[in-house]
């Protein structure tokens, strides 16, 4: 099993550009999450999904959108990139919710200039 | 004040030393996670606990629900233990993880 994979690993965006961060898991997990990690700060939840077709906002959803058309994929969309979105983004999945062990992807380092 | 506070923020020790990282939280919780973030950035789940103590190899995690406190111990520390250790809690009824800011551990040979 590959676990949770994320692409790209690194990306530099100009202000106002759009991009999609890809996340795929092959463990048949229902729950998937997107987090951002800013320097010196704890991980913050952006969006999460409890199954295909169901998504919900986390702590810091503004400026982002998600979709969950399949169990495996949970892409994160940035429509109008802003410098405040410079961060490291982690996708994670779990079998039954955050009370259980989460499996993290390797992260995407995004810089918006 | 953050809901989850870790101490120390940075810790440097010599190989072989016994390490303790602390996590205090201010809300009632249903579970607590300890995570390890490698220097390359990858995050691995170490423990999930809601009471008592768990052990995995040289790592031991304890939790005291009444005192709202958890500790992560590393015995016979090794340079490969150098990483950021993250505590995260799930508030009762909230079903979402709240993360501490992490403790950066450096073990020198």
């Amino acid at each position: 099993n590959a676990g949770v994979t994320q692409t790209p690993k690194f990306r530099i965006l100009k202000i106002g550009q759009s991009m999609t961060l890809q996340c795929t898991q092959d463990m048949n997990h229902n729950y998937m999450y997107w987090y951002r990690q800013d320097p010196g700060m704890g991980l913050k939840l952006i969006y999460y999904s409890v199954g295909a077709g169901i998504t919900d906002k986390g702590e810091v959803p503004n400026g982002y959108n998600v979709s969950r058309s399949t169990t495996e994929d949970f892409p994160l969309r940035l429509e109008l990139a802003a410098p405040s979105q410079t961060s490291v983004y982690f996708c994670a999945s779990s079998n039954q919710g955050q009370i259980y062990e989460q499996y993290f992807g390797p992260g995407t380092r995004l810089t918006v200039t | 004040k953050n809901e989850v506070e870790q101490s120390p923020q940075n810790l440097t020790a010599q190989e072989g030393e016994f390490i303790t990282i602390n996590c205090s939280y201010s809300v009632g919780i249903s579970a607590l996670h300890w995570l390890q973030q490698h220097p390359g950035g990858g995050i691995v789940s170490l423990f999930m606990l809601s009471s008592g103590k768990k052990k995995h190899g040289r790592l031991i995690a304890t939790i005291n629900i009444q005192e709202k406190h958890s500790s992560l111990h590393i015995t016979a520390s090794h340079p490969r233990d150098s990483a950021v250790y993250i505590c995260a809690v799930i508030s009762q009824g909230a079903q979402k993880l709240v993360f501490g800011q992490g403790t950066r551990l450096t073990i020198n040979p």
Side-chain angles (χ1 to χ4, degrees):
Chain A
N1 286 351
V4 180
T5 57
Q6 290 181 239
T7 57
K9 284 190 168 53
F10 303 95
R11 184 72 186 268
I12 298 174
L13 280 182
K14 293 194 184 306
I15 295 171
Q17 285 185 321
S18 302
M19 76 164 294
T20 299
L21 282 66
Q22 301 291 346
C23 175
T24 301
Q25 54 92 8
D26 62 0
M27 297 172 281
N28 202 34
H29 285 168
N30 286 322
Y31 290 73
M32 296 187 73
Y33 314 88
W34 275 106
Y35 298 98
R36 59 177 287 172
Q37 184 180 43
D38 299 323
M41 306 288 287
L43 287 152
K44 293 198 184 296
L45 182 65
I46 306 171
Y47 269 95
Y48 67 102
S49 169
V50 302
I54 307 169
T55 63
D56 207 349
K57 295 177 180 178
E59 192 179 351
V60 289
N62 291 344
Y64 307 95
N65 275 302
V66 293
S67 58
R68 185 93 182 272
S69 56
T70 67
T71 299
E72 295 78 19
D73 300 307
F74 190 40
L76 177 73
R77 177 89 179 153
L78 283 71
E79 289 295 348
L80 290 169
S84 60
Q85 293 176 305
T86 293
S87 190
V88 181
Y89 292 84
F90 288 96
C91 178
S93 72
S94 67
N95 197 15
Q96 291 188 49
Q98 291 197 315
I99 193 170
Y100 297 97
E101 181 178 3
Q102 293 199 13
Y103 296 82
F104 286 81
T108 295
R109 186 175 294 275
L110 176 67
T111 302
V112 182
T113 61
Chain B
K1 191 180 188 306
N2 293 334
E3 286 182 309
V4 182
E5 294 278 353
Q6 290 185 234
S7 63
Q9 288 194 351
N10 295 281
L11 177 59
T12 300
Q14 291 300 120
E15 183 173 357
E17 286 189 36
F18 181 82
I19 303 299
T20 296
I21 298 170
N22 297 299
C23 175
S24 297
Y25 50 91
S26 57
V27 296
I29 67 168
S30 49
L32 180 145
H33 291 254
W34 280 103
L35 307 161
Q36 181 191 53
Q37 185 168 21
H38 298 292
I43 299 174
V44 175
S45 180
L46 296 174
F47 294 104
M48 190 281 291
L49 63 168
S50 53
S51 65
K53 176 176 164 177
K54 285 191 176 180
K55 185 174 188 289
H56 185 246
R58 295 179 295 106
L59 272 60
I60 304 164
T62 63
I63 188 168
N64 185 318
I65 296 292
Q66 286 74 29
E67 294 187 5
K68 293 187 167 60
H69 182 267
S70 176
S71 293
L72 177 68
H73 305 285
I74 304 174
T75 61
S77 59
H78 190 276
R80 65 175 174 267
D81 297 326
S82 297
V84 175
Y85 292 85
I86 301 169
C87 170
V89 303
I90 301 173
S91 302
Q92 285 171 339
Q95 294 303 305
K96 294 187 184 69
L97 280 172
V98 177
F99 293 82
Q101 79 277 31
T103 294
R104 184 175 299 278
L105 174 66
T106 303
I107 304 295
N108 293 320

